[in-house]
Amino acid sequence: MANQGCSRVPLLVLSVPLLLLMVCLVMAQGGAKLITPKLLASAQQAYGASVDKKLRRWGALLGKSQQSQEMKKLKRVNYYFNQQITFISDKQHWQKEDYWATPLETLGSGGGDCEDYVIAKYFSLIYLGVDQKKLRITYVKAIKLNQAHMVLAYYAKPSSDPLILDNINPTIMPASRRRDLAPVYSFNGLGMWLERMRGSSIKMGDANRLNMWVDLLVRMEEQGLQALLNAG
């Protein structure tokens, strides 16, 4: 009778490292589904050996954030791309007036403009399980700079004051506090909206009306980023 109740203790001790191993495997698989050997090989051909480390860091971010709370996902992804990308205009970077780079092109080249920050954040968050209904790629006017700008808006609920993920101001805050931005229109993979100053919006149709968006999606598939496209 003296042994009753003690036989499970070794199993409990073993279960702790086993649980840690399972968590690590889940984290690793989260990034591995995207950062495949095939993707790494093609990226190295295009951008050289240095891109390997950049893509593995991206995969590690996605892996460790997979089980995080949604707000933590927003903060990690916003901070990561704001740190990893050096701002450069499309004219300097791609010799084009306007070019929407894929996340691979942005990370591989190490630079991008406001659209490229947003695109990388948008697809990373969808990959992490954030419902794309909550995310809108939003064109705004940056009032102080007097120029067009793009940010990512996150709506916790359809009627919420959206949170703004931005490369100009790295602090995530509600749109109502971003008096320096005037919304124009927004879109995601589900539609397009005409934005109004007071937070309401009017749906205008399908995002596939945007040629730049369609071209972006085609290049992402060609570059082996299907895991991002299929995540939503």
Side-chain angles (χ1 to χ4, degrees):
M1 296 294 292
N3 289 330
Q4 286 187 352
C6 297
S7 61
R8 292 187 178 183
V9 174
L11 294 177
L12 180 60
V13 172
L14 288 173
S15 69
V16 174
L18 181 61
L19 179 60
L20 290 173
L21 176 60
M22 291 174 65
V23 170
C24 289
L25 285 172
V26 170
M27 289 168 59
Q29 289 172 356
K33 291 177 183 177
L34 174 62
I35 312 301
T36 62
K38 183 178 179 181
L39 176 64
L40 288 172
S42 62
Q44 286 173 10
Q45 283 188 331
Y47 301 103
S50 63
V51 76
D52 186 278
K53 192 173 183 179
K54 295 178 182 179
L55 294 182
R56 289 185 188 278
R57 280 200 299 257
W58 182 29
L61 167 77
L62 297 176
K64 76 176 182 180
S65 302
Q66 203 82 39
Q67 307 301 318
S68 299
Q69 296 291 326
E70 206 150 89
M71 192 62 205
K72 197 162 191 176
K73 292 177 181 179
L74 297 180
K75 289 179 178 179
R76 280 180 172 172
V77 167
N78 189 58
Y79 177 81
Y80 179 79
F81 286 106
N82 284 350
Q83 293 297 310
Q84 293 296 315
I85 302 171
T86 300
F87 184 87
I88 182 172
S89 70
D90 287 334
K91 191 72 173 176
Q92 290 176 287
H93 200 187
W94 304 107
Q95 292 74 55
K96 295 183 179 182
E97 289 299 326
D98 198 13
Y99 183 79
W100 292 7
T102 70
L104 176 59
E105 291 169 337
T106 300
L107 287 173
S109 65
D113 68 355
C114 58
E115 292 101 334
D116 306 325
Y117 286 88
V118 172
I119 289 165
K121 293 173 187 179
Y122 172 81
F123 283 106
S124 293
L125 287 168
I126 290 176
Y127 184 84
L128 288 175
V130 178
D131 192 333
Q132 67 174 317
K133 292 178 183 178
K134 296 181 176 182
L135 299 171
R136 291 191 194 176
I137 297 171
T138 306
Y139 258 112
V140 298
K141 180 179 180 181
I143 297 171
K144 292 180 181 178
L145 299 175
N146 192 32
Q147 66 182 36
H149 184 48
M150 183 184 274
V151 298
L152 183 61
Y154 167 82
Y155 294 77
K157 296 179 181 178
S159 58
S160 296
D161 183 8
L163 298 176
I164 301 301
L165 284 68
D166 187 12
N167 65 291
I168 292 178
N169 184 340
T171 302
I172 298 175
M173 62 178 68
S176 59
R177 292 177 54 194
R178 292 298 306 271
R179 300 295 185 181
D180 57 317
L181 303 178
V184 181
Y185 75 90
S186 65
F187 66 94
N188 58 25
L190 303 173
M192 290 178 60
W193 293 265
L194 179 66
E195 298 294 340
R196 293 181 170 182
M197 291 296 291
R198 301 303 175 191
S200 60
S201 56
I202 302 172
K203 190 164 185 178
M204 299 191 299
D206 197 309
N208 287 336
R209 293 168 57 186
L210 296 170
N211 292 336
M212 300 285 287
W213 178 249
V214 175
D215 179 60
L216 170 70
L217 299 181
V218 170
R219 279 184 287 113
M220 285 181 65
E221 185 166 2
E222 290 173 347
Q223 292 170 11
L225 296 173
Q226 291 90 342
L228 290 180
L229 297 173
N230 296 336

